[in-house]
Amino acid sequence: MTDRIYLYDTTLRDGAQTQGVDFSVGDKVAIARQLDSLGIDTIEGGWPGANPTDDAFFGDPPKLAHACLAAFGMTRRAGRSAENDPGLAAVVKSGAGAVCLVGKTWDYHVRAALGVEPDENQRMIGESIACAARTVPEALFDAEHFFDGFKADPAYALGCLEAALTAGARWIVLCDTNGGVLPHEVEAIVAKVVERIPGDRLGIHCHNDTGNAVANSLAAVRAGVRQVQGSVNGLGERCGNADLVTLIPTLALKLGYRTGVEGDRLQRLTKVSRVIDELLNRAPNRHAPYVGASAFAHKGGLHASAVAKDPRTYEHVDPTLVGNDRNIVVSDQSGRANVIARVRDLGQDVGPDDPALARLIEAIKEREFSGYTYDGAEASLELLARRAWGSVPEYFEVEGFRVSVERRHNALVRL
Ligand SMILES: [Zn+2]
């Protein structure tokens, strides 16, 4: 089995369902370029025919150096042929190099939501995928509600996957659409699926409704799937999608898998995560794994002094591998070691008995007591430190001043 994991980004489609996110065409193009520079294999651009933004995006798609652009859509409607379905045609003929079609695999959903017979649903999957596979280089089948469907009726759910596979789908993507499945269930169910369909034809698409989207994706990979779908910063409807920004370094640095995001590209990860937040006017999550501003921040005095000796004492990976920085936080909670580390970062030589160090620590304590806070105010701390060492020039000098006081009588205000 190959150790190469293919990354499929759904930020521009699932991410568009995030509350508070409204992509313009320009946003989509800018995000696609960022994802391309990172080394993502496939970028899902949206749903051609579903809205004017996605039509405009596919009408003039960005030129990408590495990534393949995918169009998303759904299987043909019941009661008409794949060739005679305008919705399907808009997706298949969008010009994208890959087409991902979602279809139902949960018998309950087929009857309750779709209102068609289970056999007809499987024909809809097979004929639609066959139509896509004839027209574009790569057809994918998004097996909606697969895990719920498998629990309800494994034979029917697997039959839906096989209909897509025999019709020519390159990837069969197992979706936890409602986000309610747990890692041990994913591992057990995917193990059953790979008995019928090889793992290098399977993908995983998880939602984060139990906070397990990343864990579920990793469980699926361990069980054999070789395509992972997710979004940047976990954007997505409700609780979001599996966060690719967490998954990518975990796959590479912890589990030894290869992806398109390696070496120099992996070092772009923090930047890409923050640029996309910036584009969407969202505050970056300080506590995001790997890329958050606090991911390698050490505030406790004990931690900072150990990290100064060897970073491995309190860091699970080297922050530079993902383009992040170590941050020694200084506050009245932190110890002498934090202050020494920060002062050295500023290029100032300092020993433990330096009287300027004692002055600085005293100043921090006094000011924090009176309401200032230096945790997160790096520039203010730098000024305070430089003043302690006398290296801030006096930019202004008061040579003299004049005070003028005046009082006037204004009749208009006498009511
Ligand atoms: Zn989804």
Side-chain angles (χ1 to χ4, degrees):
M1 173 70 83
T2 172
D3 63 353
R4 173 70 156 90
I5 305 292
Y6 293 87
L7 299 169
Y8 183 106
D9 179 276
T10 65
T11 308
L12 300 179
R13 201 258 310 169
D14 273 31
Q17 314 293 328
T18 314
Q19 253 187 322
V21 165
D22 189 10
F23 293 135
S24 65
V25 179
D27 292 335
K28 285 198 157 207
V29 169
I31 291 171
R33 293 215 168 99
Q34 288 292 326
L35 296 169
D36 187 40
S37 75
L38 190 60
I40 299 293
D41 298 295
T42 309
I43 299 169
E44 195 172 74
W47 189 329
N51 60 69
T53 304
D54 288 2
D55 287 348
F57 179 81
F58 283 101
D60 184 16
K63 300 225 176 343
L64 304 175
H66 308 281
C68 171
L69 203 59
F72 182 85
M74 60 185 221
T75 53
R76 71 159 171 81
R77 285 172 205 289
R80 56 168 79 203
S81 71
E83 285 67 26
N84 195 23
D85 185 313
L88 184 58
V91 177
V92 168
K93 293 181 180 153
S94 68
V99 161
C100 182
L101 297 178
V102 64
K104 299 209 178 288
T105 59
W106 186 2
D107 58 347
Y108 154 71
H109 241 270
V110 172
R111 287 199 177 87
L114 210 55
V116 304
E117 286 305 307
D119 287 355
E120 165 65 353
N121 176 57
Q122 288 186 342
R123 283 193 295 276
M124 286 158 63
I125 294 169
E127 290 168 20
S128 307
I129 291 291
C131 170
R134 276 197 300 275
T135 321
V136 291
E138 192 167 298
L140 297 92
F141 175 58
D142 245 11
E144 193 188 31
H145 293 115
F146 173 73
F147 293 94
D148 297 311
F150 187 92
K151 287 184 201 172
D153 186 343
Y156 183 72
L158 285 169
C160 294
L161 305 189
E162 281 170 342
L165 189 72
T166 48
R170 165 65 187 88
W171 293 101
I172 310 288
V173 185
L174 311 177
C175 301
D176 180 25
T177 310
N178 293 1
V181 74
L182 296 175
H184 66 282
E185 298 173 307
V186 171
E187 196 145 7
I189 292 173
V190 174
K192 291 264 184 263
V193 177
V194 293
E195 289 171 7
R196 305 273 285 274
I197 298 173
D200 58 9
R201 305 291 295 274
L202 292 172
I204 183 78
H205 177 114
C206 293
H207 283 256
N208 200 32
D209 298 72
T210 68
N212 279 295
V214 165
N216 285 341
S217 307
L218 295 174
V221 168
R222 282 168 49 82
V225 314
R226 287 297 176 262
Q227 185 191 74
V228 173
Q229 299 200 348
S231 66
V232 172
N233 300 332
L235 288 172
E237 202 163 14
R238 305 188 308 274
C239 310
N241 283 52
D243 188 349
L244 282 184
V245 175
T246 303
L247 274 164
I248 290 167
T250 304
L251 288 167
L253 304 176
K254 305 283 174 175
L255 297 170
Y257 289 107
R258 292 183 307 115
T259 70
V261 188
E262 280 174 348
D264 291 358
R265 289 181 176 168
L266 189 57
Q267 289 176 356
R268 290 184 47 78
L269 191 68
T270 299
K271 182 159 183 254
V272 168
S273 164
R274 294 185 191 170
V275 165
I276 290 178
D277 273 332
E278 175 79 30
L279 276 167
L280 301 177
N281 210 12
R282 289 162 59 95
N285 175 7
R286 292 189 69 86
H287 304 286
Y290 298 99
V291 299
S294 297
F296 300 96
H298 305 285
K299 185 165 173 178
L302 205 63
H303 293 192
S305 67
V307 164
K309 289 180 191 130
D310 183 349
R312 284 179 303 172
T313 49
Y314 285 98
E315 288 176 1
H316 68 118
V317 294
D318 177 352
T320 60
L321 293 174
V322 291
N324 205 348
D325 296 315
R326 179 170 307 124
N327 178 14
I328 303 294
V329 180
V330 168
S331 78
D332 60 349
Q333 296 295 307
S334 56
R336 181 171 279 262
N338 298 43
V339 183
I340 291 176
R342 286 289 295 135
V343 170
R344 284 188 179 147
D345 278 353
L346 301 174
Q348 175 67 51
D349 224 7
V350 55
D353 301 322
D354 194 325
L357 177 68
R359 278 200 297 279
L360 176 59
I361 291 173
E362 201 47 43
I364 293 167
K365 285 191 173 157
E366 261 175 34
R367 285 173 163 248
E368 292 227 333
F369 183 71
S370 57
Y372 291 78
T373 173
Y374 288 95
D375 174 356
E378 261 97 74
S380 302
L381 180 74
E382 179 169 348
L383 275 174
L384 206 61
R386 291 197 186 282
R387 288 216 167 89
W389 267 267
S391 60
V392 178
E394 289 297 332
Y395 292 106
F396 301 101
E397 205 178 317
V398 181
E399 291 185 338
F401 56 86
R402 183 184 351 187
V403 180
S404 163
V405 181
E406 201 175 275
R407 184 179 178 191
R408 287 187 192 194
H409 180 74
N410 188 340
L412 287 174
V413 298
R414 290 174 68 195
L415 298 170

